[in-house]
Amino acid sequence: MKRAGALVLVLIVGVTVPRAAAPTITIDASTAAGTVSPLLYGLMTEEINHSYDGGLYAELIRNRAFLDDAASPAHWTAIQGEGAAAAIALDANQPLNATIATSLRVEVTQASSGHAAGVANEGYWGIPVKPNTRYRASFYAKTAPGVTGPITAAIQSEDGKTTYASGRVSGLTQAWKQYEVTLSTANVTPTAKARFVLTVDRPGTIWLSLVSLFPPTYRNQANGFRPDLLQMLIDMRPKFLRFPGGNYLEGDQIADRFEWKKTLGPLTERPGHMAPWTYRSSDGLGLYEFLLWAEDMNAEPVLAVYAGYSLKGAYVKPGPDLEPYIEDALDEIEYVAGPPTSKWGSLRAKAGHPAPFTLNYVEVGNEDFFDRSRSYDQRFAQFNQAIKARYPSLQVISTVGFEHPENQRVRSVTPDVVDEHYYRTVDAFLKAARGQYDKYDRKGPKIFVGEWGAYETPFEPWNPRSRGEAPTPNLRAALGDAAWMTEMERNADLVIMHGYAPLLVNVSPGARQWRPNLIGYDALRVYGSPSYHAIKLFATRLGNEILKASAADTDVLVSVTRDSRSRTMYVKLVNAGPVAVPVQLDIVGASLRPDGTAITLAGDPQDTNSIDAPDRVVPKTSQLTGVKSGFTYTVPPNGIVVLELGTR
Ligand code: AHR
C-alpha cells in the first residue's frame, strides 16, 4: 500500500491541479460479511507481577501463614524499643494444623503500658490506609501458660508514631483459636506508608498463625477482591476469563503446578505453593475465587487444565502415567460445571455456589510446544478423548508452537480451537495486521489468541536490563496493539477469543517479573496504560456483525463492525504514522444518521501513563456532524479512533 504522505498538491506552471483525493475506505453495509464471536474480547490472567497476592486479591498481610520462607519470618519484624523487647521466630513445633505446619513464636521479654512489644507486618509494599474505612483483622493465636493477652491489633505509620486504627482481643488460651477485630480509620489522609502490628503490654510468649487484614472488598465478598482493580477489569467488559495461566498453570516442576484441589475451602486448608514467577502464592485466590471473579465481570471461565508438562522440562508420559492427571482435570471440570449433587459440584455448592458455572471451553496445558520430548500431541489426544467422552459439548483448546503457529499444531487429532500467543514488536504487529489471518483455513480449528501484547522495544520482558523501564507500555505500543485488534476483529469469525498478557502489574520496586503489562497499581492507586484504553475502547464498541471494509492507498488500518440491534456501526481506524491522514469513508448499503461520535486516543507516541500521571494518554470524545457516505475523516497522527455511526 502507498503511504498517505505521498498525497501532495501538484503544481504545474500556470495550471493548478486539484488536491489529490483522500484515500478511500469503502464499507459494505448492505450485508454482514461474518459474525463477530460473542466472546471475542476477554482477559488472560495468572499469578505474575503480584497480580493476586499484592494485587487483585485484597488480603493486605504479606506472608500471612509464615510459609513464604522456610528460614525466617519474611516481611515480619519484631517491635521493640525503649522499655520493650521481643524476639520472633518460625516454630515448627507449634503448627496450626497439618497444612499450615509452622507458626510464628513471639517472645516478649519486656513490655508495659505505653511500651508495647510484638510484631509488625510490612504488607505488600505498605498497608493502604484510607479515610473512614473499616478493616477486618483476624488471626489465630495461642499462648504459653499464664498468658491471656490482651493483644492489640493496629494499623500504624511505618515508624509506629501514628496509629490510624486499633482494636483489642483478650482471653487467649493455650489452644489455637481465631480472633477477629474490626479496625476503623477516621478521616485520615490516605497513605501506604503504614504497617500492621500485633502487640502486648506485658511479657509472655504467643504463637500466631494465619494473620489476615482485609479492607472492604468488591461487593463485600468474604476473601474477596480489591474494588478499584476489579472495576478496571469490569469496565473492559470482558466476555471470558482465561485462568490460571500461563506458566502459573504449569509450575517450574510438576509438584509446583496449579493444584486446584489444594486451593479450595477454608484458608486454614490452603498451603499455598511455589509459583514460577519467583514467589510463593498464598492460593487465597483459588479455583473458587477465579470463578467468582469471572462471574463478577459477567464473563465466562476459560479453564486451563494442567496437561503434564512443567517449565523446567519434566513431563508425564502419555498413557497410564497420564491417567491421574486426566482424572484430576475431569474432577476440576465437574467442580466448575457439574451439578450440585455431583462429588465435586457439591464442594462448590458447599462453598456457596450451588448453580454450576457456565463452561464452554477447556484448554489443555499452556505453551506445551516447549516440551522437548514432543509428547504433547499424544498427551493432548488423551485429554481430548477423555474430556469429550464425559462432556461432549465442551470445546477443547490445544496450545500451538510459537514460531509458526499455523504449522506447529497437534496432528493426531484436530482440536476445536488452538491457542496462539503473540509477543511482538509494534512493527511486527503492524505487518501482521495486513492480513495474517487471510491465509488461514476457514474449515480448520477456531483461533484463540490467548496471550498477546505489543512491545515498543525488542521482546525481552524478563531481561534484567529492561527492569528500569516503565512497567506498562507507551502509546506507540498501543498503536501496535490497536493495529493487531483490527486484524482480529476483521477475522472475528475465525478468531473467537483473545486476551492481552500480562494483565496486571504491581509497580512497586521489585514486584514485577515482566514488562510491559496492561494495568499498573500500587497499594493505594491504579491506572490503565494506553493499551488498556485502546482495548477498552475497542471491546466496548463492537456489535455482532463484521462488515467488509477495503482500504485503498493508505496505511491506515481499519475494521468495521455493527450492532444489528441498535444499528450502530463502529469504524475503527489506526494511523501509526507521524502525519494526519484524511480518509474518505464510502459507505454503501446503509442510510447514515448525520451525527456521530469519534473517540480518539492519540498523542506523542512516547507518551505513557504511570502511577503518578495516570491520565496522560486517555481517550477523548468529540461529536461528528454532516456524516454521510463519502465524508472525510482525518485520522490524527499516532491515532487510534473509533467512529460510532448510527444508521437508519
Ligand atoms: O504472559 C507471560 C507468560 O508468557 C505466560 O505465563 C506464558 O504463557 C507466556 O510465555
Side-chain angles (χ1 to χ4, degrees):
M1 282 186 236
K2 220 164 68 184
R3 288 214 155 263
L7 297 168
V8 289
L9 246 184
V10 182
L11 288 178
I12 301 173
V13 181
V15 184
T16 305
V17 178
R19 181 185 285 271
T24 305
I25 292 175
T26 306
I27 299 167
D28 181 359
S30 60
T31 175
T35 302
V36 175
S37 162
L39 297 184
L40 187 61
Y41 283 84
L43 303 180
M44 183 291 177
T45 179
E46 65 174 321
E47 180 57 288
I48 184 173
N49 303 320
H50 287 273
S51 292
Y52 313 149
D53 289 347
L56 183 67
Y57 180 52
E59 173 65 82
L60 297 177
I61 302 300
R62 190 160 181 191
N63 191 17
R64 68 182 173 191
F66 308 106
L67 296 172
D68 280 10
D69 182 344
S72 67
H75 311 291
W76 293 89
T77 47
I79 296 181
Q80 43 191 346
E82 203 193 319
I88 61 170
L90 297 179
D91 192 343
N93 296 319
Q94 301 287 346
L96 178 66
N97 58 25
T99 305
I100 300 185
T102 194
S103 63
L104 184 74
R105 188 176 64 245
V106 185
E107 281 184 278
V108 174
T109 47
Q110 197 187 4
S112 59
S113 178
H115 299 279
V119 65
N121 185 268
E122 65 191 27
Y124 291 96
W125 296 274
I127 298 282
V129 179
K130 294 186 179 173
N132 308 312
T133 302
R134 284 158 68 92
Y135 298 74
R136 186 180 159 272
S138 65
F139 55 91
Y140 285 80
K142 63 185 280 187
T143 54
V147 180
T148 58
I151 294 182
T152 299
I155 302 173
Q156 294 181 342
S157 55
E158 283 170 344
D159 61 7
K161 288 187 179 150
T162 308
T163 296
Y164 298 107
S166 72
R168 280 186 150 200
V169 300
S170 51
L172 283 82
T173 70
Q174 282 123 65
W176 283 113
K177 188 183 157 203
Q178 190 183 28
Y179 298 87
E180 288 186 13
V181 57
T182 300
L183 307 180
S184 301
T185 58
N187 196 20
V188 295
T189 306
T191 180
K193 291 186 184 307
R195 63 184 189 176
F196 174 75
V197 302
L198 293 172
T199 55
V200 291
D201 58 9
R202 62 205 71 174
T205 299
I206 295 168
W207 288 267
L208 298 169
S209 186
L210 212 61
V211 182
S212 172
L213 180 69
F214 268 88
T217 57
Y218 184 78
R219 289 186 180 153
N220 288 321
Q221 285 162 350
N223 197 42
F225 308 114
R226 207 175 126 166
D228 56 346
L229 252 175
L230 185 49
Q231 194 58 51
M232 291 284 285
L233 305 178
I234 291 170
D235 290 349
M236 295 172 78
R237 284 196 231 142
K239 297 296 187 294
F240 69 86
L241 180 69
R242 173 181 175 234
F243 63 82
N247 291 167
Y248 184 57
L249 169 71
E250 308 164 271
D252 275 349
Q253 306 293 348
I254 295 177
D256 301 328
R257 69 193 185 278
F258 182 79
E259 267 195 271
W260 66 276
K261 285 176 183 161
K262 292 186 178 169
T263 73
L264 302 179
L267 299 181
T268 49
E269 297 306 323
R270 302 191 198 189
H273 74 286
M274 187 60 204
W277 296 107
T278 70
Y279 56 95
R280 263 182 82 86
S281 168
S282 73
D283 287 333
L285 200 161
L287 177 59
Y288 184 65
E289 288 76 23
F290 275 116
L291 295 166
L292 293 184
W293 170 12
E295 189 168 76
D296 283 342
M297 300 189 299
N298 210 12
E300 68 176 67
V302 171
L303 178 69
V305 297
Y306 179 73
Y309 168 70
S310 290
L311 294 162
K312 296 270 164 92
Y315 71 100
V316 183
K317 274 200 203 116
D321 288 0
L322 198 60
E323 279 308 315
Y325 296 88
I326 292 177
E327 278 310 310
D328 196 59
L330 293 173
D331 290 349
E332 190 172 7
I333 294 168
E334 185 176 285
Y335 182 91
V336 175
T341 47
S342 61
K343 180 177 170 197
W344 291 100
S346 71
L347 273 194
R348 182 200 64 236
K350 201 169 143 211
H353 205 288
F357 289 91
T358 300
L359 185 70
N360 291 308
Y361 293 92
V362 169
E363 177 158 8
V364 176
N366 175 64
E367 296 184 347
D368 279 65
F369 276 74
F370 284 119
D371 172 9
R372 294 224 182 103
S373 76
R374 297 284 167 255
S375 64
Y376 182 61
D377 207 309
Q378 284 170 281
R379 287 190 284 110
F380 177 80
Q382 206 176 328
F383 269 91
N384 189 57
Q385 196 269 334
I387 293 171
K388 293 276 185 195
R390 181 94 51 99
Y391 300 99
S393 64
L394 272 184
Q395 296 285 290
V396 183
I397 306 171
S398 89
T399 72
V400 295
F402 242 82
E403 300 300 324
H404 305 286
E406 219 197 339
N407 303 322
Q408 287 177 292
R409 293 180 176 174
V410 295
R411 296 282 168 218
S412 50
V413 284
T414 305
D416 298 312
V417 184
V418 297
D419 176 3
E420 299 181 346
H421 293 178
Y422 295 115
Y423 295 104
R424 287 171 162 165
T425 59
V426 173
D427 287 342
F429 268 135
L430 289 172
K431 189 166 166 227
R434 294 172 201 289
Q436 167 171 321
Y437 286 116
D438 290 353
K439 61 180 190 314
Y440 273 56
D441 178 6
R442 260 35 200 188
K443 296 201 191 77
K446 297 287 187 194
I447 307 298
F448 173 27
V449 187
E451 297 179 23
W452 64 268
Y455 286 72
E456 8 11 354
T457 53
F459 173 70
E460 45 176 21
W462 47 75
N463 183 338
R465 279 177 296 137
S466 78
R467 294 222 175 104
E469 294 171 28
T472 51
N474 64 15
L475 178 61
R476 173 86 186 138
L479 289 159
D481 293 329
W484 178 235
M485 286 189 286
T486 64
E487 176 69 10
M488 292 191 285
E489 285 197 358
R490 277 195 302 275
N491 293 279
D493 55 329
L494 174 72
V495 179
I496 55 167
M497 300 183 279
H498 69 79
Y500 186 101
L503 180 64
L504 299 171
V505 62
N506 187 318
V507 301
S508 307
R512 90 173 135 89
Q513 291 79 46
W514 188 283
R515 81 163 303 278
N517 309 283
L518 201 64
I519 297 170
Y521 48 87
D522 63 11
L524 271 180
R525 302 165 291 174
V526 58
Y527 73 97
S529 62
S531 298
Y532 167 83
H533 290 292
I535 296 172
K536 183 175 148 193
L537 197 54
F538 277 32
T540 55
R541 291 163 183 86
L542 187 60
N544 56 328
E545 296 177 338
I546 306 167
L547 298 186
K548 188 164 167 26
S550 14
D553 296 330
T554 177
D555 280 350
V556 169
L557 289 152
V558 61
S559 76
V560 185
T561 53
R562 176 170 61 193
D563 184 328
S564 62
R565 286 156 300 240
S566 67
R567 302 202 57 76
T568 307
M569 195 185 291
Y570 301 103
V571 181
K572 285 152 184 165
L573 302 164
V574 180
N575 175 12
V579 291
V581 179
V583 288
Q584 179 179 314
L585 291 158
D586 288 351
I587 301 168
V588 297
S591 164
L592 290 164
R593 292 185 180 281
D595 48 356
T597 307
I599 308 110
T600 307
L601 191 66
D604 181 331
Q606 301 310 319
D607 261 0
T608 195
N609 297 330
S610 67
I611 200 78
D612 294 318
D615 297 327
R616 194 172 282 152
V617 188
V618 291
K620 297 193 170 57
T621 300
S622 58
Q623 297 311 314
L624 300 171
T625 53
V627 175
K628 59 181 183 191
S629 182
F631 81 104
T632 297
Y633 182 82
T634 300
V635 192
N638 308 303
I640 300 164
V641 178
V642 181
L643 303 180
E644 280 182 7
L645 307 178
T647 64
R648 285 187 269 255

